[in-house]
Amino acid sequence: MIGIDPSIDGTIENLIETINTNLNKTCFYDDRLITFDKSAAFLSKNERFRRAFEKCAWSDEDRSRSWRLHTLAWAADTAMQLEGDFVECGVFEGFMSHTIIEYVGFDRTPRTFYLYDTFEGFSPRYSEPDDFGVGSGFYHFANEVYGRAGLYEDVVKRFAPYPNARVIRGVVPDVLKTESPDKIAYLHIDMNSPRAERGALELLFDRVVPGGVIIFDDYGWSAYAKQMEAADGFMAERGYAILELPTGQGLTVKR
């Protein structure tokens, strides 16, 4: 089984072809994750996941993130056995949460999916260029991408068919003080901002029910080391450790 990252270069492509054909091995490559002799059965045997993923992945970049989505699907299945709403802090175009809604049939449940984003890029109250290392340029690049014209309207349209999905425009953590659930079974944090993410945890962590799942999208990516430091510090103060996954995500289950 092989996934193809849209940015893959010829060298890696040739290497994978050699592994798959000449060595009779199974190789997966996507989203900067390469595996050997792993089944990746969520793509071949989990029809419910495959249908949801294919319906909601609208671009090559979306399609490259299957293993990350598999992590979220597992978390959502776990959360559906618990009491509480779903929360995503950092929505961008909504691909990940859209897939989860389709995967678990969220629109047929009495729960609410809270989707928070500025839809205008980073807030200077919580983010700065040095969050990503001096001279990285990511802060300004991301502000252009995450704050593009019409993004909010596009996301509202995307979730319009789901009456229990609430797209909330505002700066996290500030907006959480005025509109957020009392009980949370699933919390996905994906804001590329150490201070904003810690602020979200300070307001929401105690509302996560026992057994509830917290996923940090950028936890293990080297470019976002300050996010790992912020999340680790918060969790350590409460006696928790975050599991770093090969996808770059981090995972914690509330006790």
Side-chain angles (χ1 to χ4, degrees):
M1 179 179 304
I2 178 171
I4 299 297
D5 188 300
S7 63
I8 192 170
D9 61 34
T11 301
I12 296 177
E13 190 172 26
N14 290 337
L15 172 63
I16 293 173
E17 181 65 24
T18 298
I19 292 168
N20 283 339
T21 303
N22 298 340
L23 300 182
N24 195 29
K25 298 289 186 178
T26 300
C27 179
F28 174 99
Y29 178 79
D30 244 336
D31 200 19
R32 302 184 186 182
L33 172 66
I34 187 167
T35 70
F36 300 94
D37 293 333
K38 301 299 188 298
S39 67
F42 59 91
L43 288 175
S44 60
K45 296 182 179 179
N46 189 337
E47 180 64 22
R48 180 164 57 104
F49 175 81
R50 192 178 63 81
R51 285 198 308 268
F53 184 75
E54 290 180 355
K55 177 176 180 178
C56 301
W58 294 353
S59 67
D60 286 342
E61 185 175 9
D62 289 346
R63 283 183 282 274
S64 76
R65 294 175 176 172
S66 59
W67 216 305
R68 267 197 265 183
L69 262 295
H70 170 56
T71 301
L72 296 181
W74 173 88
D77 267 340
T78 300
M80 290 295 288
Q81 308 306 311
L82 307 169
E83 182 183 11
D85 293 314
F86 282 32
V87 173
E88 182 171 71
C89 296
V91 178
F92 186 38
E93 295 175 335
F95 159 59
M96 292 185 173
S97 41
H98 187 192
T99 304
I100 294 309
I101 287 173
E102 285 291 324
Y103 176 70
V104 300
F106 194 87
D107 56 323
R108 299 188 295 275
T109 75
R111 306 168 189 257
T112 300
F113 207 136
Y114 292 81
L115 302 163
Y116 299 96
D117 203 301
T118 65
F119 300 103
E120 296 176 351
F122 295 120
S123 166
R125 293 201 295 276
Y126 296 102
S127 300
E128 58 187 26
D130 287 354
D131 286 343
F132 311 99
V134 177
S136 76
F138 180 80
Y139 179 88
H140 301 291
F141 166 79
N143 265 339
E144 293 180 4
V145 175
Y146 300 153
R148 67 169 174 79
L151 176 61
Y152 172 70
E153 291 76 13
D154 289 346
V155 173
V156 168
K157 183 178 180 180
R158 182 172 202 158
F159 290 99
Y162 310 104
N164 56 344
R166 301 182 62 182
V167 180
I168 302 168
R169 189 174 194 172
V171 175
V172 174
D174 300 354
V175 69
L176 301 175
K177 298 175 184 178
T178 58
E179 190 170 6
S180 55
D182 294 326
K183 293 183 179 181
I184 300 169
Y186 169 101
L187 175 58
H188 184 217
I189 298 179
D190 183 11
M191 293 186 288
N192 302 105
S193 171
R195 281 180 287 165
E197 293 191 357
R198 178 163 183 125
L201 289 169
E202 288 172 350
L203 289 171
L204 299 180
F205 180 78
D206 289 342
R207 305 185 199 181
V208 178
V209 301
V213 184
I214 305 171
I215 311 99
F216 302 85
D217 183 70
D218 305 297
Y219 178 80
W221 293 80
S222 58
Y224 310 128
K226 289 187 178 181
Q227 288 171 245
M228 175 184 279
E229 293 173 6
D232 281 347
F234 178 91
M235 289 298 178
E237 291 167 7
R238 290 153 180 82
Y240 285 83
I242 299 172
L243 175 65
E244 181 179 357
L245 303 176
T247 57
Q249 296 161 301
L251 175 67
T252 297
V253 178
K254 182 79 174 289
R255 294 191 295 270

